[in-house]
Amino acid sequence: QAVLSKMLTGGDKTKLLWLETPTNPTLKVTDIDKVSTMTKRFNANALLCVDNTFCSPYFQNPLEHGADIVVHSVTKYINGHSDVVMGVVCTNDEEIYAQLRFVQNGV
């Protein structure tokens, strides 16, 4: 908690907190609800992004636990094999969606 509060209380410098859970390669699980609550408490403008690559949405849906953005490497656990390379970015916020869509269309 002390490390997170130090990272997030630097004014508006922190824009995004990136969290991977379960982690690679140790598979440590982080309490997304707790990190989301702390993120919003220390910096209401910071977004919480969760890399959910090592856990499919069937078992863990970070958007339901306060994440603003979720990324999945669909190549691994969702697709089931590596003959196709895919990735997904998810959000349930219309403003974030519009920004992500703008970037996607601009690339």
Side-chain angles (χ1 to χ4, degrees):
Q1 182 175 351
V3 173
L4 185 59
S5 67
K6 185 176 181 180
M7 289 171 29
L8 293 170
T9 54
D12 290 334
K13 291 181 182 179
T14 302
K15 304 292 182 191
L16 178 79
L17 181 65
W18 187 277
L19 171 66
E20 180 184 39
T21 183
T23 62
N24 179 16
T26 61
L27 299 177
K28 291 184 180 180
V29 177
T30 302
D31 185 340
I32 300 168
D33 283 311
K34 187 173 184 177
V35 173
S36 174
T37 300
M38 291 174 59
T39 300
K40 300 307 177 201
R41 182 175 56 192
F42 292 119
N43 185 341
N45 297 320
L47 298 175
L48 175 60
C49 182
V50 176
D51 182 340
N52 202 45
T53 294
F54 282 92
C55 196
S56 79
Y58 181 82
F59 293 108
Q60 174 175 278
N61 189 340
L63 293 175
E64 293 177 355
H65 298 282
D68 299 298
I69 301 170
V70 180
V71 296
H72 298 276
S73 173
V74 182
T75 304
K76 295 177 182 165
Y77 296 104
I78 296 174
N79 186 37
H81 39 82
S82 61
D83 62 341
V84 178
V85 177
M86 297 181 285
V88 173
V89 178
C90 306
T91 185
N92 55 9
D93 182 285
E94 288 293 327
E95 185 177 332
I96 295 171
Y97 170 76
Q99 292 173 1
L100 292 170
R101 186 85 173 146
F102 176 79
V103 171
Q104 179 189 24
N105 287 333
V107 171

